[in-house]
Amino acid sequence: MKQDLIVILDLGSTQNTVLARKIRELGVYSEIHPHDITAEELKALPNVKGIILNGGENRVVDDKGIEIRQELYGLDWPMISVDYPQSQCQEKWNELPDCDALKKFLFEECGAKSNWNMKNFIEDQMEIIRKQVGDKKVLLALSGGVDSSVVAAMLIKAIGQQLVCVHVNHGLMRKNESESVVKVFKDELHANLVYVDASERFLGKLAGISDPEQKRKIIGGEFIRVFEEEARKLEGIDFLGQGTIYPDIIESGTKTAKMVKSHHNVGGLPEDLKFELVEPLKQLFKDEVRACGVELGLPHDMVYRQPFPGPGLGVRCLGAITRDRLEAVRESDAILREEFARAGLDKKVWQYFTVVPDFKSVGMKNNARVFEYMVIIRAINTVDAMTASIEKVDWEVLEKITNRILAEVENVNRVCYDMSPKPPATIEFE
């Protein structure tokens, strides 16, 4: 392990990610772990230099105050508490520490070195992957998005031909998305790629399902079933690679924080999962994942492509999925991406997409009354996907996009622009 580690124990703080990022900005790697971690589990973590007990407004769970295990106080590592009155630490911070106090704890009390960088992180993760996998094979869910692409590149570098990439077309991809994935990964990067067209299978399972959480769980569960079927055709598959990142885990709920939404690779996994997971990015934020991709040598366009949720257009076709609305989302999204690229906004805006809700509004076409769907445009900027602001798109660009959508997309008579930041809204609608 090349990088020193500071462990943050979540004792109800809403600022865990802020503290973790602040420590990483000072050049020291940090990870967030649950409050009930055991001494044995802590000792198993590599290169631990210190522990921060991070309390906060969620210290009470199910009417009971949460505490760390008493055995942790007997460990040799320096330990400090933040807003955690039960702590037996000699030194406490009443709220998130200032930079000078944090530096003193990290570098003087813990003796940590400022050696957190992507090169060292990648080397550490490759070592962990090799120890975990051994001579077995890993099956990777390769959507072609940033997260799964970076995982693929890391696994190829770590274990080479022991990696089998599976791209599943679940019928919820963006326009020409699957064709692009096959071209880049199979034809250009020469990955061991299996392509599975399961679009009818997924759409059949999702028929009539309107609850967002149920849709996510169905999509996540069906993904695993497809992978299990593909694994049975191969030999020595014991591991499942996933592009899980830290915001996925946070938003799916922790022991001290309520769920925002489950992610298919966190909340949608079946209990009888037959694979051991390989998730080398699960402690990284989105901007760090991109930096990791650059360090691994992935093409710029791949690393900085539009984020795309695992459930795909299934969470942008709001409510129960119908083929006409799904097609409206796919076509309007393609127009939006094309016009943003022409205006240079594809290099400026972090994420932009369209959604189509499951209700209609009255309109006029060809001098006749029509009752059709609306398209909602969302364009946001963010650093870590935990908060987001709205992009102020030029009016002429919005007008051009609107006119194209109304003229080219069937069953649509209205276009709206979403002005809601995160929080209180989330990036996606479902």
Side-chain angles (χ1 to χ4, degrees):
M1 179 78 173
K2 294 182 177 295
Q3 299 176 118
D4 292 339
L5 170 63
I6 298 296
V7 176
I8 299 170
L9 296 187
D10 176 13
L11 286 146
S13 176
T14 58
Q15 299 293 309
N16 287 314
T17 57
V18 175
L19 180 58
R21 290 185 67 86
K22 187 179 291 187
I23 293 172
R24 293 184 190 184
E25 286 169 4
L26 293 173
V28 182
Y29 183 52
S30 61
E31 290 185 355
I32 303 165
H33 289 272
H35 68 278
D36 56 358
I37 191 172
T38 66
E40 289 72 23
E41 289 170 330
L42 266 175
K43 290 175 182 177
L45 297 175
N47 253 27
V48 175
K49 294 297 182 180
I51 300 170
I52 298 178
L53 311 180
N54 204 26
E57 61 189 63
N58 294 329
R59 281 198 306 267
V60 177
V61 177
D62 296 329
D63 298 323
K64 183 179 179 180
I66 59 174
E67 300 181 25
I68 67 167
R69 299 174 187 269
Q70 287 296 308
E71 63 194 54
L72 268 57
Y73 288 114
L75 300 175
D76 294 332
W77 295 304
M79 184 182 292
I80 200 164
S81 70
V82 183
D83 192 21
Y84 177 51
Q86 296 100 322
S87 172
Q88 297 177 22
C89 296
Q90 292 183 349
E91 189 174 353
K92 302 179 182 180
W93 290 318
N94 291 328
E95 56 185 34
L96 281 164
D98 62 31
C99 192
D100 290 337
L102 192 56
K103 284 181 179 178
K104 180 181 177 182
F105 177 70
L106 298 178
F107 303 117
E108 295 180 21
E109 298 181 34
C110 298
K113 295 180 181 178
S114 181
N115 55 10
W116 157 242
N117 57 62
M118 276 303 154
K119 181 179 180 181
N120 286 343
F121 174 81
I122 290 169
E123 291 182 4
D124 286 342
Q125 289 302 316
M126 288 198 300
E127 181 181 337
I128 292 170
I129 290 166
R130 288 170 184 145
K131 286 181 179 178
Q132 180 185 9
V133 173
D135 60 355
K136 302 294 184 180
K137 292 182 180 179
V138 179
L139 192 64
L140 174 66
L142 179 58
S143 68
V146 177
D147 303 334
S148 66
S149 297
V150 173
V151 169
M154 186 180 291
L155 288 172
I156 288 170
K157 192 170 184 179
I159 60 174
Q161 290 302 305
Q162 291 171 244
L163 174 67
V164 179
C165 297
V166 177
H167 174 69
V168 179
N169 179 0
H170 50 23
L172 305 169
M173 305 295 288
R174 289 176 290 200
K175 191 173 184 178
N176 299 325
E177 191 89 27
S178 287
E179 293 85 348
S180 175
V181 169
V182 172
K183 181 178 183 297
V184 170
F185 284 93
K186 189 171 185 177
D187 301 342
E188 297 177 13
L189 299 182
H190 309 293
N192 185 6
L193 177 65
V194 177
Y195 172 74
V196 182
D197 186 353
S199 53
E200 291 300 321
R201 173 174 173 173
F202 275 83
L203 293 177
K205 291 277 186 179
L206 290 165
I209 304 297
S210 59
D211 179 74
E213 283 304 304
Q214 193 176 356
K215 286 200 293 185
R216 287 177 178 273
K217 291 182 186 299
I218 288 172
I219 294 168
E222 202 63 21
F223 256 112
I224 298 299
R225 300 306 176 208
V226 173
F227 292 138
E228 286 178 334
E229 292 171 11
E230 293 304 317
R232 284 194 287 269
K233 302 174 185 176
L234 305 166
E235 294 183 359
I237 298 289
D238 292 308
F239 297 90
L240 176 66
Q242 289 201 136
T244 307
I245 65 175
Y246 195 67
D248 297 343
I249 297 172
I250 290 294
E251 292 192 336
S252 294
T254 66
K255 293 180 179 180
T256 65
K258 294 180 179 179
M259 178 184 69
V260 177
K261 60 184 177 184
S262 69
H263 288 256
H264 76 287
N265 51 357
V266 181
L269 296 176
E271 293 182 1
D272 61 343
L273 181 68
K274 294 180 174 60
F275 302 111
E276 183 178 333
L277 296 179
V278 179
E279 301 174 301
L281 307 182
K282 66 181 180 181
Q283 288 287 346
L284 294 188
F285 297 94
K286 195 71 177 190
D287 58 314
E288 294 171 335
V289 174
R290 295 187 193 279
C292 184
V294 171
E295 183 65 33
L296 285 165
L298 287 175
H300 183 276
D301 290 346
M302 183 180 295
V303 173
Y304 287 94
R305 69 182 301 178
Q306 275 286 291
F308 193 55
L313 300 182
V315 292
R316 295 177 181 174
C317 184
L318 307 185
I321 298 171
T322 60
R323 294 176 186 267
D324 58 345
R325 284 193 300 110
L326 183 59
E327 192 61 20
V329 176
R330 184 175 285 119
E331 292 298 325
S332 61
D333 175 80
I335 291 171
L336 177 67
R337 288 188 286 127
E338 185 177 317
E339 292 301 329
F340 263 43
R342 286 177 177 171
L345 291 171
D346 58 326
K347 297 179 177 63
K348 179 185 177 186
V349 183
W350 190 83
Q351 188 170 8
Y352 45 94
F353 56 89
T354 64
V355 300
V356 177
D358 58 347
F359 58 85
K360 297 180 178 180
S361 66
V362 70
M364 292 288 294
K365 283 187 177 179
N366 299 320
N367 298 317
R369 177 188 174 97
V370 293
F371 204 50
E372 296 179 322
Y373 299 112
M374 71 170 64
V375 168
I376 302 173
I377 297 171
R378 185 152 175 77
I380 59 98
N381 286 310
T382 182
V383 172
D384 57 13
M386 300 304 294
T387 62
S389 59
I390 302 305
E391 175 65 22
K392 298 177 181 177
V393 181
D394 183 82
W395 188 259
E396 290 184 1
V397 175
L398 281 178
E399 191 173 33
K400 185 175 183 181
I401 294 168
T402 298
N403 290 337
R404 280 198 61 190
I405 289 174
L406 294 177
E408 299 174 29
V409 181
E410 294 184 4
N411 303 308
V412 171
N413 66 355
R414 197 178 296 267
V415 177
C416 300
Y417 190 69
D418 182 5
M419 294 292 292
S420 312
K422 175 182 180 178
T426 55
I427 293 176
E428 298 286 344
F429 274 59
E430 291 188 338

